[in-house]
Amino acid sequence: MGAAAAFVTLGDALAAAIARLAAAGVPEPRADAEVLLARALDTTRAGLVVGARRPLPGTAARDFAALVGRRAGREPLHYILGEREFWSLPLAVDRRVLVPRPETELVVETALRLAPAARRVLDVGTGSGAIAAALARELPAARVWASDVDTDALAVARANLARQAPGVALVCGDLLAPFRTAAFDLVAANPPYVADAELGGLAPEVRDHEPRVALAAGPDGLAALGRLMAEAPRVLAPGGWLVVEVGAGQAAAVRRLAEEAGAERCQAGRRGLGRAARAAWAFVRSARSARAPDGPPAEEAGAERCQAGRRGLGASEERSARAPDGPPAELDTSGFVRVEVVRDHAGIERVLAVQLGGGGWTRS
């Protein structure tokens, strides 16, 4: 890009930055250069057009050169800016969390369409807290939890949720392990889904900068998705939904995992339940529909807290965890009874949703 002194006008500086970013392989060099110059000048991209012939002040030139250097090194634009908008909510982001993607908003859209009356909601693997914040804003009557196994990610989520959705409770734990039976009406997730062999082929912004724990998902990319499909029937209330983002080309495999999980659970129930147990389960269902549970749905003893207090997480992560009233795990024999696959604007299958029930399998 050259020395800062060579930047005579805003237009000159912008042109040099665009050329440098393009040479570095940045996918949208003009847009990124404009955003970074606007940041250095504390103005808008529209303001750059108006002031294109103005001299670039020395301090702004130095700041701009530093920002462009970081982007030329393929650091994600939103890490440089420190913020990413999701669901029209500005969220702080850095190397501790994935940058929220526009396609993840499809998870929120699908969840709201399928479970508009959900009252107990979990965003599992919350990262920056994006999904939890959006769902909490759109479902004001719901109690929302956000969980992650990574305490660094939870620190970012805590700051974002304090600003955008302060009622959301945070839990540190591995996927659905910390939560009790029939705890949620809706579970949403953007889990890791990149196969190990594909990691090296990711864009440098992702491969070299975003947290590997939020990306890598075993040899087939299905490790986390498989666990969610297997564990969700335990934590979902009857009729509850699991809504997950999947990688391009993974929807069919994840559908099979859901079918297998539902079939295995129903078979286990038929083997293990007698008439009295079925009657007890029916009674619990009716009781739950008549009275809302109180208290967070995490296991009081045995829920992983990841030493949250020592890592700077707040009181919301350390709340007592008394589970809602519900049937013991051995009485829960429901399998998934409905599945939906949702495509993005490009026609790629990106979201899979499954509904818990107690009977056969249908597709839509």
Side-chain angles (χ1 to χ4, degrees):
M1 186 168 64
F7 292 164
V8 178
T9 66
L10 271 62
D12 294 334
L14 185 61
I18 292 169
R20 181 175 180 185
L21 295 182
V26 172
E28 299 182 50
R30 173 172 292 278
D32 287 7
E34 289 175 352
V35 168
L36 295 175
L37 182 55
R39 168 59 64 92
L41 290 166
D42 192 24
T43 187
T44 64
R45 291 173 69 181
L48 300 179
V49 177
V50 175
R53 295 183 178 276
R54 290 203 326 257
L56 182 64
T59 300
R62 289 188 292 273
D63 292 345
F64 184 45
L67 295 174
V68 171
R70 292 172 65 182
R71 187 68 187 101
R74 303 303 291 272
E75 183 176 352
L77 176 66
H78 297 287
Y79 284 175
I80 298 171
L81 299 175
E83 188 173 275
R84 170 66 163 168
E85 187 174 280
F86 181 88
W87 207 256
S88 300
L89 303 173
L91 301 174
V93 293
D94 58 32
R95 294 180 68 115
R96 293 174 290 178
V97 296
L98 292 180
V99 176
R101 270 68 163 176
E103 55 264 31
T104 303
E105 293 192 348
L106 192 57
V107 173
V108 177
E109 293 173 9
T110 303
L112 294 173
R113 175 172 59 83
L114 296 175
R119 291 296 177 265
R120 298 169 299 167
V121 177
L122 171 65
D123 170 18
V124 61
T126 191
S128 65
I131 292 175
L135 290 175
R137 287 292 192 97
E138 298 296 334
L139 299 172
R143 187 76 172 90
V144 180
W145 286 263
S147 72
D148 206 292
V149 71
D150 187 343
T151 53
D152 288 336
L154 278 177
V156 177
R158 177 175 178 262
N160 283 324
L161 293 168
R163 180 168 55 150
Q164 304 295 353
V168 174
L170 293 170
V171 175
C172 186
D174 187 13
L175 294 181
L176 299 176
F179 302 103
R180 291 189 177 179
T181 299
F184 300 106
D185 307 308
L186 170 65
V187 174
N190 176 20
Y193 53 70
V194 180
D196 293 344
E198 297 174 353
L199 290 168
L202 296 175
E205 287 85 351
V206 180
R207 181 191 65 223
D208 300 334
H209 296 276
E210 296 196 275
R212 186 62 59 95
V213 68
L215 296 167
D220 58 4
L222 299 175
L225 286 161
R227 285 186 56 194
L228 286 171
M229 292 299 153
E231 298 172 17
R234 178 181 63 82
V235 303
L236 285 173
W241 283 93
L242 169 65
V243 181
V244 297
E245 183 173 326
V246 300
Q250 289 183 330
V254 178
R255 182 199 293 269
R256 286 193 296 272
L257 291 172
E259 291 175 341
E260 291 166 5
E264 289 173 5
R265 196 165 189 86
C266 288
Q267 289 170 5
R270 284 195 293 269
R271 288 194 301 269
L273 284 182
R275 181 177 302 173
R278 293 181 187 277
W281 176 221
F283 174 80
V284 171
R285 282 186 177 181
S286 62
R288 186 184 293 114
S289 65
R291 182 175 63 84
D294 26 47
E299 292 284 5
E300 188 161 14
E304 295 183 70
R305 292 291 165 176
C306 301
Q307 301 177 340
R310 290 188 294 179
R311 299 299 297 272
L313 300 179
S316 62
E317 291 90 338
E318 295 295 319
R319 291 174 182 158
S320 62
R322 187 170 69 80
D325 297 333
E330 62 269 23
L331 291 184
D332 183 1
T333 62
S334 299
F336 295 124
V337 298
R338 183 179 170 191
V339 60
E340 288 203 12
V341 177
V342 183
R343 299 175 184 269
D344 64 14
H345 67 279
I348 300 172
E349 295 177 331
R350 295 312 303 258
V351 171
L352 186 138
V354 288
Q355 184 180 31
L356 189 69
W361 186 268
T362 60
R363 306 184 182 192
S364 58

